[in-house]
Every structure is written in structure tokens, then in C-alpha cells.
Amino acid sequence: MTNDSVLIVGSIALDLIETPYERKENVIGGSTTYALIAASKSAPVSVVGVVGDDFPKKGMDLYKKYAHNLNDLKIVSGKTFRWGGRYRENWDDRDTIYTELGVFESFNPILSPSNQNRSHIFLANIHPDLQQLVIDQNKNPDALIVVDTMNLWINTALDGLKNVLSNSHILLINESEAVMLTGQDTINSCARALQDKGPQIIVIKKGSKGVILFSEKDQITIDAYPIEQIVDPTGAGDTFGGGFISCLANGETMDEALINASVLASLCVEGFGTGAVLGANKKEITLRKNYLRDRIR
Ligand code: AMP
């Protein structure tokens, strides 16, 4: 594996997904799964995580196919992390039906020597204390650390989250979470307040309204790719994260990383679970990238 590789920590899950039109159980999901599938299109990926002995073979096969290094993926006796989510007609609101930590409850991520020296680390959505344990074991002072989070941790693990932010370079966050975390009411003031917490690059995701990246000096604004029909929004944020960091690991520009992330996220919501990103063809990805490239500001 090259040094320009991505290490991902996050959840590996069996999801129950209910949309207004469909309901599926035991969908292979979790923030790591979505991020891995997206990232593997641009860079070699290692995973640190845990599953229970109930994790199905098709899930393991998926990990074997898309990850280059699974040394730090542990299979232990017990239940895989389970999450259930329900979407309403307008797709904006999502209710969490349940979150069952299972084997994540006692998970202590241990990085093998090669994973202590990755060039890029994606702290996908998981408890901030687990994200911090991965940061603590990183031995590469030049590693670029990208962090994602969710409202749950802002509400229940704020100190841990602040600690992680102080050790990260790039934060990916939804607009509503940015407001919640900073108490600011404009997107610009949110970004500045978040930079004060550590990461100098803040990527604020605005759903169908696109994303804005704030760096010390400038801003990059990019529209969302206009999709025709939402099928299932689950994992769009994680897909965005995987698509973003892997382009950076591949030596591409911030603009290109944002374009790739947005395109893969747009595909994600057009299919159920990981289906559309797994099935995406290169021609469609290129078409969508060209569309967004013409609209970057
Ligand atoms: P997203 O739609 O980007 O929020 O990602 C959805 C994925 O996140 C699902 O596959 C869930 O398994 C996973 N997920 C939901 N809640 C949590 C949580 N509290 N910690 C870690 N992963 C979660």
C-alpha cells in the first residue's frame, strides 16, 4: 500500500431503514461502510472498527472487496452495532428509531503499525472518544485529519468532541449542526467560530443547497447535483466524507475533492443503502463531475 492512503474509523452497522416507500432490515451500513465504498474509488483504504459474530458474510465480503487493509477490523463475540432510522415524506426530518451499540460499547481501537502512519485519517461519525483514541495512536505528524460528527455527540459528548476538533484539520458538518455547535446564526460566523475550535478548514453541508468550504483565506461554494428522485438519504454524509478525503489522498485539489464528494453523495441518495454508489458507473460519475465543475464558485 502506498503512503497516500486513507484510514477510516467509524461505525459498521446493520441498519433498519424506513422511507415513506420502502422498509428494509439488516442493511449493511454504518458511517465506515459508506465512507469506505466512496473512498475506495480514489485511494487505498484501511479500516479500524469492530463487528459482532452476527455480521453477515455479504458484509464481510464487501469489506474484503473495497478495503486494502483490514488488519484492524475486529470480529468479536456479540452483536454488531444496529441503527434504525425513519424518514418522513419531506425527507428533511429523520427519526432515529433505535441505536444499539452492541460490540461498539466495549470497543478499544488498536492501530497496527502500518495504520499508525497513514497520510490521511477520516474520523467518520462515531463517539468522539473513539475518534480521539485513533488520533492518539497516529504517529505521522503530517497526517491530514478530517472529522465528521452528528447532533447526538454535540448534545451528549461535547467535551470529547471539542477535544477531537482541537486535533483535526478539516471539519465536515451539516448547517444545522454548525448552528447547534456554535450558537451563531449566519453560515459565515458559524465557520469562523468553528475555526476557533481547531480545524482551519470547515466544510458546511447544506443538503440540496450544496456545500461551502471555508479556509483561512477563501471560500469555495459548490451546488448540489440536481437529482430527480430521492430513494434513501442514509449515508450521504459519510459518502461525501469518503469521496472528499480520498481525492485529497490522491493528490487532487480541494475543488476536485468537493466535486467528487458531492457527486458520490448525489448518487448515494438515489439508491437504497449503499446500492447506488456500489453500482455507479464511471461515465455517470464523469458526467456529474463536469456539471458541477462548471458551477464551482
Ligand atoms: P448519515 O445518513 O450520513 O447520518 O449516516 C447514516 C449511517 O450512520 C447509518 O448507516 C448508521 O448506521 C450510522 N449511524 C447512525 N447513528 C450513529 C451513531 N450514533 N454512531 C455511529 N454511526 C451511526
mmCIF file of all heavy atoms in Angstrom, residues 16-20 83-88 93-97:
data_model
loop_
_atom_site.group_PDB
_atom_site.id
_atom_site.type_symbol
_atom_site.label_atom_id
_atom_site.label_comp_id
_atom_site.label_asym_id
_atom_site.label_seq_id
_atom_site.Cartn_x
_atom_site.Cartn_y
_atom_site.Cartn_z
ATOM 1 N N LEU A 16 -31.756 -0.640 10.013
ATOM 2 C CA LEU A 16 -33.157 -0.731 9.588
ATOM 3 C C LEU A 16 -33.485 0.632 8.983
ATOM 4 O O LEU A 16 -33.321 1.657 9.648
ATOM 5 C CB LEU A 16 -34.063 -0.988 10.799
ATOM 6 C CG LEU A 16 -35.546 -0.689 10.577
ATOM 7 C CD1 LEU A 16 -36.156 -1.655 9.576
ATOM 8 C CD2 LEU A 16 -36.311 -0.745 11.889
ATOM 9 N N ILE A 17 -33.880 0.635 7.740
ATOM 10 C CA ILE A 17 -34.183 1.910 7.076
ATOM 11 C C ILE A 17 -35.641 1.906 6.627
ATOM 12 O O ILE A 17 -36.082 0.996 5.917
ATOM 13 C CB ILE A 17 -33.246 2.151 5.868
ATOM 14 C CG1 ILE A 17 -31.770 2.101 6.316
ATOM 15 C CG2 ILE A 17 -33.557 3.492 5.207
ATOM 16 C CD1 ILE A 17 -30.766 2.172 5.166
ATOM 17 N N GLU A 18 -36.365 2.931 7.088
ATOM 18 C CA GLU A 18 -37.758 3.090 6.667
ATOM 19 C C GLU A 18 -37.904 4.408 5.931
ATOM 20 O O GLU A 18 -37.640 5.469 6.505
ATOM 21 C CB GLU A 18 -38.689 3.124 7.888
ATOM 22 C CG GLU A 18 -38.932 1.768 8.501
ATOM 23 C CD GLU A 18 -39.948 1.842 9.644
ATOM 24 O OE1 GLU A 18 -40.764 2.799 9.671
ATOM 25 O OE2 GLU A 18 -39.892 0.965 10.504
ATOM 26 N N THR A 19 -38.275 4.335 4.680
ATOM 27 C CA THR A 19 -38.585 5.556 3.934
ATOM 28 C C THR A 19 -40.102 5.559 3.749
ATOM 29 O O THR A 19 -40.770 4.561 4.068
ATOM 30 C CB THR A 19 -37.886 5.566 2.555
ATOM 31 O OG1 THR A 19 -38.577 4.656 1.698
ATOM 32 C CG2 THR A 19 -36.419 5.173 2.657
ATOM 33 N N PRO A 20 -40.660 6.642 3.224
ATOM 34 C CA PRO A 20 -42.110 6.623 3.002
ATOM 35 C C PRO A 20 -42.530 5.510 2.038
ATOM 36 O O PRO A 20 -43.702 5.179 1.940
ATOM 37 C CB PRO A 20 -42.387 8.004 2.402
ATOM 38 C CG PRO A 20 -41.268 8.859 2.879
ATOM 39 C CD PRO A 20 -40.072 7.967 2.968
ATOM 40 N N TRP A 83 -28.618 0.290 14.011
ATOM 41 C CA TRP A 83 -29.283 1.596 13.992
ATOM 42 C C TRP A 83 -30.523 1.506 13.128
ATOM 43 O O TRP A 83 -30.511 0.842 12.089
ATOM 44 C CB TRP A 83 -28.317 2.648 13.440
ATOM 45 C CG TRP A 83 -28.933 3.991 13.190
ATOM 46 C CD1 TRP A 83 -29.147 4.981 14.105
ATOM 47 C CD2 TRP A 83 -29.403 4.503 11.937
ATOM 48 N NE1 TRP A 83 -29.730 6.071 13.501
ATOM 49 C CE2 TRP A 83 -29.896 5.802 12.168
ATOM 50 C CE3 TRP A 83 -29.462 3.982 10.641
ATOM 51 C CZ2 TRP A 83 -30.436 6.589 11.166
ATOM 52 C CZ3 TRP A 83 -30.010 4.761 9.624
ATOM 53 C CH2 TRP A 83 -30.485 6.061 9.894
ATOM 54 N N GLY A 84 -31.589 2.130 13.599
ATOM 55 C CA GLY A 84 -32.808 2.193 12.797
ATOM 56 C C GLY A 84 -33.198 3.639 12.579
ATOM 57 O O GLY A 84 -33.165 4.447 13.508
ATOM 58 N N GLY A 85 -33.549 3.971 11.353
ATOM 59 C CA GLY A 85 -33.949 5.345 11.042
ATOM 60 C C GLY A 85 -35.186 5.380 10.161
ATOM 61 O O GLY A 85 -35.398 4.481 9.342
ATOM 62 N N ARG A 86 -36.004 6.400 10.388
ATOM 63 C CA ARG A 86 -37.252 6.548 9.617
ATOM 64 C C ARG A 86 -37.313 7.954 9.024
ATOM 65 O O ARG A 86 -37.098 8.939 9.737
ATOM 66 C CB ARG A 86 -38.445 6.323 10.543
ATOM 67 C CG ARG A 86 -39.797 6.421 9.857
ATOM 68 C CD ARG A 86 -40.952 6.267 10.851
ATOM 69 N NE ARG A 86 -40.958 4.967 11.503
ATOM 70 C CZ ARG A 86 -40.999 4.782 12.820
ATOM 71 N NH1 ARG A 86 -41.016 5.811 13.654
ATOM 72 N NH2 ARG A 86 -41.009 3.562 13.332
ATOM 73 N N TYR A 87 -37.589 8.024 7.731
ATOM 74 C CA TYR A 87 -37.711 9.313 7.048
ATOM 75 C C TYR A 87 -39.174 9.675 6.880
ATOM 76 O O TYR A 87 -40.012 8.807 6.686
ATOM 77 C CB TYR A 87 -37.035 9.259 5.669
ATOM 78 C CG TYR A 87 -35.555 9.025 5.784
ATOM 79 C CD1 TYR A 87 -35.028 7.735 5.800
ATOM 80 C CD2 TYR A 87 -34.673 10.094 5.926
ATOM 81 C CE1 TYR A 87 -33.667 7.514 5.946
ATOM 82 C CE2 TYR A 87 -33.312 9.880 6.074
ATOM 83 C CZ TYR A 87 -32.820 8.589 6.080
ATOM 84 O OH TYR A 87 -31.476 8.380 6.237
ATOM 85 N N ARG A 88 -39.432 10.988 6.952
ATOM 86 C CA ARG A 88 -40.802 11.471 6.685
ATOM 87 C C ARG A 88 -40.936 11.837 5.212
ATOM 88 O O ARG A 88 -39.955 11.896 4.486
ATOM 89 C CB ARG A 88 -41.055 12.724 7.529
ATOM 90 C CG ARG A 88 -40.601 12.562 8.974
ATOM 91 C CD ARG A 88 -41.747 12.644 9.928
ATOM 92 N NE ARG A 88 -41.231 12.603 11.293
ATOM 93 C CZ ARG A 88 -41.084 13.675 12.042
ATOM 94 N NH1 ARG A 88 -41.408 14.868 11.570
ATOM 95 N NH2 ARG A 88 -40.639 13.561 13.275
ATOM 96 N N ASP A 93 -36.745 15.529 7.778
ATOM 97 C CA ASP A 93 -36.643 15.049 9.153
ATOM 98 C C ASP A 93 -36.358 13.555 9.145
ATOM 99 O O ASP A 93 -36.955 12.806 8.375
ATOM 100 C CB ASP A 93 -37.955 15.296 9.899
ATOM 101 C CG ASP A 93 -38.325 16.758 9.863
ATOM 102 O OD1 ASP A 93 -37.434 17.587 10.088
ATOM 103 O OD2 ASP A 93 -39.496 17.058 9.572
ATOM 104 N N ARG A 94 -35.468 13.141 10.019
ATOM 105 C CA ARG A 94 -35.211 11.712 10.184
ATOM 106 C C ARG A 94 -35.341 11.390 11.656
ATOM 107 O O ARG A 94 -34.757 12.063 12.494
ATOM 108 C CB ARG A 94 -33.799 11.380 9.699
ATOM 109 C CG ARG A 94 -33.459 9.915 9.909
ATOM 110 C CD ARG A 94 -32.195 9.522 9.201
ATOM 111 N NE ARG A 94 -31.007 9.856 9.959
ATOM 112 C CZ ARG A 94 -29.763 9.740 9.495
ATOM 113 N NH1 ARG A 94 -29.572 9.333 8.249
ATOM 114 N NH2 ARG A 94 -28.735 10.051 10.245
ATOM 115 N N ASP A 95 -36.137 10.390 11.958
ATOM 116 C CA ASP A 95 -36.254 9.955 13.350
ATOM 117 C C ASP A 95 -35.347 8.754 13.546
ATOM 118 O O ASP A 95 -35.361 7.831 12.732
ATOM 119 C CB ASP A 95 -37.694 9.530 13.666
ATOM 120 C CG ASP A 95 -38.673 10.655 13.413
ATOM 121 O OD1 ASP A 95 -38.330 11.804 13.737
ATOM 122 O OD2 ASP A 95 -39.768 10.385 12.873
ATOM 123 N N THR A 96 -34.603 8.781 14.639
ATOM 124 C CA THR A 96 -33.838 7.590 14.983
ATOM 125 C C THR A 96 -34.779 6.667 15.745
ATOM 126 O O THR A 96 -35.360 7.064 16.756
ATOM 127 C CB THR A 96 -32.617 7.958 15.840
ATOM 128 O OG1 THR A 96 -31.723 8.718 15.023
ATOM 129 C CG2 THR A 96 -31.877 6.731 16.337
ATOM 130 N N ILE A 97 -34.972 5.462 15.236
ATOM 131 C CA ILE A 97 -35.871 4.517 15.901
ATOM 132 C C ILE A 97 -35.128 3.859 17.063
ATOM 133 O O ILE A 97 -35.653 3.704 18.149
ATOM 134 C CB ILE A 97 -36.389 3.443 14.916
ATOM 135 C CG1 ILE A 97 -36.969 4.102 13.655
ATOM 136 C CG2 ILE A 97 -37.430 2.556 15.575
ATOM 137 C CD1 ILE A 97 -37.274 3.110 12.530
#
